[in-house]
Amino acid sequence: MNKIVSPLLVMAISATVLTGCAPSAKHSPSSQRQTSSKKVSSESTRTTRANKKAPVATFANNTLTSSTGTIKITGQRQVASAFPNHQQLLITYEYSNQSTKQQVPSDLWSKHFKATQDGKNLVSGSLSLSGQNSDSDNDDINNSVTPVDAGQHVTVAAMYKISPSAGPVTLTVHVGQKNIGTTTLTINGNE
């Protein structure tokens, strides 16, 4: 019996020892380095892709500069509204198309600007139906939705419904979720 148990015991011990010596993917330092290296490489690739997808934009001196165009805020004034008992803030700006194809100015505006007054989001306004807006105001509003050729420059306007007694309007400029600047616009019917 001793002769039978002895070989079985030797085989069991050998199998246990050999199993303990076999490299394990879970515990191998070289395997961990490869996994870490792949993870860093993957994160780097995602960051590079994100940087390529999200164009860089800056906002300084009331001018938004992005890879597709620039917007320079040139003025603001209170104007008549299409909505009874409401006023609007007309914001004029110069738009330059920096891309290689046609662009609509209001697309760049709506992508980067958010208007608030007294902590509340403002909604876009509409031209007065009574003809109280000047021809240049009408042209500027119409220019905001008219495609602009590559390399061209145009005067444009954006409009927001406001409450004249609620204080100044704040424009927050953002790229995605990141705020890159703000500007405060006074409400003044005489500008």
Side-chain angles (χ1 to χ4, degrees), residues 19 30 47 65 83 89 91 102 117 123 137 165 169 172 180-182 188:
T19 302
S30 66
T47 302
T65 304
F83 305 98
L89 184 64
I91 304 167
Q102 282 188 335
Q117 184 183 35
V123 295
D137 289 349
S165 61
V169 169
T172 304
I180 60 171
T182 59
N188 174 336

Side-chain angles (χ1 to χ4, degrees), residues 127 137-146 157:
L127 290 170
D137 289 349
N138 292 334
D139 290 345
D140 291 349
I141 290 295
N142 290 331
N143 285 344
S144 74
V145 293
T146 303

Side-chain angles (χ1 to χ4, degrees), residues 47-60:
T47 302
T48 301
R49 285 184 190 149
N51 288 341
K52 286 181 182 178
K53 288 181 184 176
V56 175
T58 60
F59 185 73

Side-chain angles (χ1 to χ4, degrees), residues 33-89:
R33 276 185 295 222
Q34 287 175 350
T35 302
S36 294
S37 176
K38 287 179 184 177
K39 184 177 179 182
V40 169
S41 176
S42 176
E43 288 172 1
S44 175
T45 301
R46 274 184 284 194
T47 302
T48 301
R49 285 184 190 149
N51 288 341
K52 286 181 182 178
K53 288 181 184 176
V56 175
T58 60
F59 185 73
N61 300 319
N62 282 339
T63 302
L64 169 77
T65 304
S66 79
S67 59
T68 58
T70 60
I71 289 177
K72 179 177 176 57
I73 299 170
T74 57
Q76 74 274 351
R77 67 182 172 283
Q78 200 171 305
V79 296
S81 174
F83 305 98
N85 304 318
H86 285 88
Q87 290 292 310
Q88 297 185 112
L89 184 64

Side-chain angles (χ1 to χ4, degrees), residues 59 62 73 76 89 91 109 112-123 160-163 166-174 179 181-187:
F59 185 73
N62 282 339
I73 299 170
Q76 74 274 351
L89 184 64
I91 304 167
W109 180 273
H112 292 287
F113 288 87
K114 181 175 103 177
T116 58
Q117 184 183 35
D118 197 27
K120 298 175 185 162
N121 290 337
L122 297 179
V123 295
Y160 292 97
K161 289 191 282 184
I162 59 164
S163 173
V169 169
T170 301
L171 287 178
T172 304
V173 188
H174 56 89
N179 289 345
T182 59
T183 189
T184 302
L185 307 174
T186 58
I187 296 175

